[in-house]
């Protein structure tokens, strides 16, 4: 099997050519033809360990079978609601996981921070003075009523839900700490130890899962508030 680098300049250009071949605008009204084109191309690409995967409304070359559906679901979600900064962070994390796992970890943390900041702004809430991962997560959890200390849970599931909500907080802090200790946000010294690709994927999947949950919770709350406002004005 041919070894390809998703960061090699020549291969990067080839990626763009292949991705352009299934550009959505060229298949408007004929999605079946696009699907056939993707399938045809992937039959040849998979022997080299890569394939075209759908990210939002576009296809992107990636390692075959490299990512869980949650990352794709997050891309689709942020494309629909037009959270462009989050979309860029997700795509960067997915792209870098194989060749630059340290940068992928940094991007995974950035996407979660971007989601928190975007939700607060959409809710017309001020950003906290300290904008690190832990503080942003604490603030968003409080505004979305996801804090582990909430008192309105049914008794039979209270302990379970609080444990999960506490886990969300721990996950966010873990991703932030991993970015500090293993990401590339603060530079990389000579001879630094590379982290395993699996760790980068873990950070991406964890950040994507948490980000998707926060976005879905925010959207649900927004819909409920809009419905209540409609009832009041009638």
């Amino acid at each position: 099997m041919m070894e390809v680098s998703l960061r090699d300049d020549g291969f990067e250009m080839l990626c763009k050519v292949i991705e352009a071949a299934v550009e959505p605008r060229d298949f408007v009204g004929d999605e079946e033809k696009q699907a056939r084109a993707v399938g045809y191309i992937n039959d040849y690409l998979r022997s080299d360990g890569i394939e075209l995967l759908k990210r939002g409304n576009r296809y992107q070359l990636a390692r075959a079978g490299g990512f869980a559906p949650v990352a794709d679901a997050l891309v689709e979600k942020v494309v629909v609601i037009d959270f462009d900064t989050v979309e860029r962070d997700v795509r960067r994390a997915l792209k870098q996981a194989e060749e630059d796992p340290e940068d992928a970890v940094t991007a995974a943390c950035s996407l979660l921070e971007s989601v928190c900041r975007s939700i607060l702004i959409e809710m017309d809430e001020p950003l906290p003075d300290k904008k690190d991962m832990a503080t942003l997560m604490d603030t968003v959890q409080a505004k979305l009523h996801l804090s582990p200390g909430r008192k309105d849970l049914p008794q039979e599931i209270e302990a379970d839900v609080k444990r999960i909500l506490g886990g969300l907080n721990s996950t966010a802090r873990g991703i932030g700490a991993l970015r500090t200790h293993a990401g590339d946000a603060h530079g990389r010294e000579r001879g630094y130890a590379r982290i395993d690709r699996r760790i980068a994927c873990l950070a991406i999947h964890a950040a994507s899962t948490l980000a998707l949950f926060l976005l879905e919770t925010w959207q649900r709350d927004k819909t409920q508030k809009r419905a209540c406002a409609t009832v009041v004005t009638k």
Side-chain angles (χ1 to χ4, degrees), residues 14 33 51 65 74 80 89 100 112 153 157-158 169 216 232:
L14 180 59
K33 183 178 180 181
E51 63 182 341
L74 178 59
V80 170
D89 286 331
D100 194 344
L112 192 51
L153 296 168
I157 63 170
E158 181 179 11
N169 206 296
E216 289 177 343
V232 170

Side-chain angles (χ1 to χ4, degrees), residues 109-216:
C109 186
S110 293
L111 81 85
L112 192 51
E113 290 174 338
S114 295
V115 165
C116 290
R117 294 168 69 106
S118 297
I119 288 175
L120 290 172
I121 289 171
E122 290 294 322
M123 295 178 72
D124 292 323
E125 296 287 348
L127 296 176
D129 293 334
K130 191 176 181 182
K131 298 175 180 62
D132 64 325
M133 184 70 263
T135 306
L136 284 168
M137 187 63 192
D138 285 343
T139 305
V140 170
Q141 278 193 280
K143 297 301 180 183
L144 294 179
H145 309 292
L146 295 173
S147 297
R150 59 185 295 179
K151 306 294 185 182
D152 60 337
L153 296 168
Q155 187 174 0
E156 62 271 17
I157 63 170
E158 181 179 11
D160 302 326
V161 174
K162 284 185 175 181
R163 190 173 293 114
I164 292 173
L165 293 177
L168 297 181
N169 206 296
S170 296
T171 298
R173 280 168 162 74
I175 293 170
L178 185 63
R179 187 261 303 271
T180 298
H181 299 131
D184 62 357
H186 304 293
R188 292 182 274 199
E189 72 281 1
R190 185 178 60 140
Y192 72 95
R194 304 299 302 268
I195 64 171
D196 194 295
R197 171 189 177 277
R198 295 171 304 133
I199 301 300
C201 289
L202 175 63
I204 294 169
H205 295 157
S208 297
T209 300
L210 183 47
L212 189 60
F213 175 68
L214 293 176
L215 288 170
E216 289 177 343

